[in-house]
Amino acid sequence: MVPGPAGTAIRARLRVSEIDAAVLAEVGLFLGGLAAGDLAVLSRQGLKHDSQTWAVRKRELTGVSSARWAGSITKATHDQWALARRGQAAEMAWLRKQIASIEARLARPLGAKADKREGLPRGYGSRAEWHAKSRRMQALRARLAGVGEDWAAGRVRVVRGGKRLAHLRHHLDQAGLSEQVWRERWRAARMFLTADGESGKRLGNETIRVTATGQLSVKVPATLTRLANAPHGRYVLDATVSFHHRSEEWRDRVTANRAVAYRIHHDPVRGRWYVTASWQRTPAPVLPLEAALARGVVAVDMNDDHLAAWRLDIHGNPVGEPHRFFYGLSGSSQHRDAQIRHALTRLLHHTRATGAGAIAVEDLDFTDGRCREKYGRNKRFRRLISRFPTAKLKARLVAMAAEQDIAIVAVDPAYTSRWGAQHWQQPLNSSKRKVSRHDAASIAIGRRALGHPIRRRTAPPHDDQRDRRGHRTVQARPDTRRREEPRPRHPGPRTRAVPPGSGAKAGDQRAQHRSEHAAEQQSWTQDSVPLSLEER
């Protein structure tokens, strides 16, 4: 069972005036500079920072801003530092894995085939490839040494505003941007207008405050008090905030003075300002697996361009017809997000319509998507799994399913496509229905979530045959003995399982005559006549 989301975030557009935009930009750039300086100080301290150094940094920031702005900045700095440290740990693990994989293949002879039983990888195809991989291994080792030094010193390398945008500064001609346009994007990315909420305070936030009617005000830093237009050093915007999604839940929290965090950010491409409100949710109790699957499950096979779904009952049998929900991964990131969100919305509506209480998905993880050592020279396949939005799909599906009271069950993805196509694709095909490999894989996923074996059992024979109807049905009870096995095969001409003359006992003619069949386990030989009888 996948637990539900721990937080919620909603966003609304701010239709600010020119004066409001200028004030927000000045405050954001000033606080962004403080955040950049605080991150540099923490990075220089490395592993020596503790609660005392944190208090010193916060006091220094409080004098030029405020106590709450200083708390938000230092907390964001620590979160960014911790995220960079986790990235370093993941990078070192990936580098070690790559080096070990290349070393194992370098030790093999050229052109040697892989031996799965012995655990030996295949060798490289040519001497030139072997030489190129040996050079790459040295480069990876040097890279690992550099990351290891940063990890030991507690030093992180973070670009506030984004490494991609910083790199774009040297390729403005290729990107078709002017220096002024790039500078606007860079300033917008480095702004800091984020304030954490605090329960018990007025409207749940003392720094960025939004009333129930939508009036937004910002606490101006001490250095910029000249910008305040309201008492207590606050600036009240002319624009109002109107949340359309979860507005009632947000209004209940604001009215009860419960903590709500806000973030104001600028999109220079569209020329718009946005405000995002977020808060923690009380974790809902996770349903037992049996209760979630009591009404069946909708099994989903995630693919590069669509979701293949099929409804399964509690016995693991497919019900109805397969459904496919298509989406596109081309275009801008906003377009891709909209496509994924639309496909997941249709999937949830289909699940509600079928009456199922859970959705079964694969627990996919393509962390080694670009690894040539694992996937060979199939560049198309490596690009496919590298751009596959597994994490985004799962995160969005969990968040959206929680609102519909639909449980998410994650299963092991091993061999679901292969076994689904082997046992379910051909039997479900008909003149009116064409079952794809992905549809069959969804059945395998659903049966694994329900606790049933993937293999499709043999249908019962007709009446008046060796086995009566009802024996070895498509789905046997869990307490049935030998339920995992197919119907026993009796070779021989009598059952017409093999052609005459090629059965297990085709050479023994007595075995075909059941009434006078001799002993099968041991042969019988006529004893010789006793000598005494011969003499008589």
Side-chain angles (χ1 to χ4, degrees):
M1 295 295 298
V2 180
T8 302
I10 55 178
R11 189 178 71 168
R13 181 182 175 184
L14 277 177
R15 302 182 183 274
V16 298
S17 60
E18 294 182 1
I19 299 177
D20 292 345
V23 172
L24 291 176
E26 187 171 356
V27 174
L29 289 174
F30 175 76
L31 295 175
L34 297 181
D38 186 63
L39 180 62
V41 172
L42 179 60
S43 181
R44 286 194 296 267
Q45 292 176 353
L47 300 178
K48 298 180 180 179
H49 72 272
D50 51 13
S51 58
Q52 296 181 356
T53 58
W54 190 344
V56 171
R57 291 176 16 242
K58 186 176 180 180
R59 282 196 299 267
E60 293 178 354
L61 295 175
T62 302
V64 295
S65 57
S66 67
R68 287 185 172 83
W69 276 126
S72 298
I73 291 175
T74 53
K75 181 179 181 301
T77 299
H78 277 264
D79 292 343
Q80 202 166 17
W81 184 84
L83 178 61
R85 292 280 291 178
R86 292 195 296 270
Q88 287 179 345
E91 185 179 4
M92 288 191 298
W94 182 82
L95 288 173
R96 293 191 183 100
K97 187 175 181 180
Q98 293 295 304
I99 293 174
S101 177
I102 295 178
E103 285 181 343
R105 294 191 63 184
L106 288 175
R108 297 280 289 164
L110 295 178
K113 295 183 179 180
D115 191 347
K116 294 184 178 181
R117 292 185 177 180
E118 299 294 334
L120 299 176
R122 68 181 187 277
Y124 289 111
S126 63
R127 185 68 181 178
E129 186 179 5
W130 187 95
H131 179 68
K133 289 298 181 179
S134 62
R135 296 185 60 184
R136 174 169 173 77
M137 185 180 63
Q138 299 300 328
L140 292 177
R141 285 178 176 175
R143 182 177 167 185
L144 178 60
V147 178
E149 292 178 0
D150 292 342
W151 173 265
R155 182 172 52 252
V156 298
R157 304 179 185 275
V158 180
V159 180
R160 292 199 71 257
K163 182 179 179 181
R164 180 177 301 179
L165 188 58
H167 181 72
L168 192 62
R169 174 63 180 85
H170 306 284
H171 305 278
L172 296 179
D173 296 337
Q174 299 178 5
L177 299 176
S178 63
E179 183 178 355
Q180 181 180 0
V181 173
W182 178 88
R183 187 70 60 181
E184 292 178 357
R185 295 186 182 182
W186 180 251
R187 290 176 178 175
R190 291 174 64 88
M191 288 184 185
F192 186 89
L193 283 171
T194 304
D196 299 327
E198 188 175 357
S199 296
K201 297 299 180 180
R202 184 183 175 187
L203 302 177
N205 199 312
E206 287 285 349
T207 309
I208 299 178
R209 183 181 298 167
V210 182
T211 64
T213 58
Q215 186 183 53
L216 189 148
S217 62
V218 179
K219 177 69 175 179
V220 179
T223 309
L224 304 176
T225 52
R226 55 182 174 80
L227 300 176
N229 61 356
H232 308 291
R234 306 191 68 86
Y235 181 84
V236 180
L237 277 71
D238 297 333
T240 57
V241 181
S242 178
F243 293 110
H244 300 284
H245 180 59
R246 298 180 179 274
S247 59
E248 295 297 332
E249 186 177 353
W250 166 80
R251 190 173 290 105
D252 292 342
R253 294 188 65 89
V254 170
T255 306
N257 295 330
R258 300 177 64 184
V260 179
Y262 294 100
R263 174 176 176 261
I264 302 175
H265 54 282
H266 176 52
D267 186 358
V269 178
R270 296 185 176 183
R272 298 177 180 178
W273 288 83
Y274 297 93
V275 57
T276 303
S278 59
W279 59 88
Q280 291 183 351
R281 302 180 57 181
T282 303
V286 180
L287 291 175
L289 186 61
E290 294 78 7
L293 301 175
R295 294 179 294 167
V297 66
V298 173
V300 179
D301 179 53
M302 295 185 294
N303 301 283
D304 181 51
D305 58 348
H306 74 282
L307 302 174
W310 208 322
R311 166 83 157 87
L312 275 70
D313 60 11
I314 59 175
H315 304 290
N317 301 318
V319 179
E321 299 294 328
H323 288 75
R324 303 179 184 94
F325 307 100
F326 293 90
Y327 55 85
L329 297 179
S330 60
S332 61
S333 59
Q334 292 83 2
H335 177 73
R336 294 194 298 269
D337 292 344
Q339 290 282 313
I340 293 174
R341 185 167 54 251
H342 183 52
L344 294 179
T345 301
R346 289 182 292 163
L347 172 63
L348 293 174
H349 289 172
H350 170 67
T351 304
R352 292 291 298 272
T354 56
I359 296 177
V361 297
E362 294 176 296
D363 191 10
L364 295 174
D365 184 15
F366 290 143
T367 54
D368 294 336
R370 298 182 177 88
C371 176
R372 177 178 288 187
E373 303 303 323
K374 183 176 181 180
Y375 296 107
R377 297 185 179 182
N378 194 344
K379 184 181 295 185
R380 181 180 179 183
F381 181 71
R382 286 188 282 119
R383 287 180 177 177
L384 172 66
I385 61 178
S386 296
R387 72 169 188 171
F388 195 70
T390 53
K392 184 176 294 185
L393 272 171
K394 289 189 294 185
R396 286 189 178 274
L397 180 59
V398 170
M400 297 172 67
E403 303 304 320
Q404 304 290 335
D405 294 332
I406 298 176
I408 303 298
V409 182
V411 302
D412 185 6
Y415 300 102
T416 54
S417 298
R418 181 180 300 178
W419 290 349
Q422 179 181 354
H423 299 291
W424 290 95
Q425 185 176 6
Q426 186 62 30
L428 293 176
N429 275 325
S430 64
S431 59
K432 298 182 179 180
R433 178 175 61 189
K434 182 65 176 178
V435 178
S436 66
R437 184 183 181 91
H438 306 298
D439 299 330
S442 66
I443 298 178
I445 294 170
R447 291 180 64 87
R448 181 169 286 176
L450 292 167
H452 300 311
I454 295 178
R455 185 167 67 175
R456 182 177 183 270
R457 292 180 51 78
T458 306
H462 297 291
D463 291 337
D464 300 325
Q465 289 189 1
R466 183 177 178 86
D467 295 334
R468 286 289 181 178
R469 185 180 299 274
H471 180 60
R472 297 190 183 277
T473 56
V474 177
Q475 183 60 48
R477 292 178 55 84
D479 54 352
T480 304
R481 296 185 59 186
R482 304 180 68 179
R483 65 188 181 98
E484 300 296 333
E485 302 178 7
R487 294 180 64 248
R489 182 178 180 181
H490 300 279
R494 183 173 180 273
T495 60
R496 298 181 181 179
V498 295
S502 59
K505 300 179 179 180
D508 188 1
Q509 298 299 323
R510 294 176 301 170
Q512 313 302 328
H513 189 191
R514 307 296 295 182
S515 60
E516 299 178 4
H517 189 199
E520 297 180 359
Q521 302 298 330
Q522 57 185 357
S523 59
W524 178 80
T525 306
Q526 175 68 41
D527 293 336
S528 59
V529 180
L531 182 59
S532 58
L533 295 178
E534 292 181 355
E535 294 176 352
R536 293 178 184 178

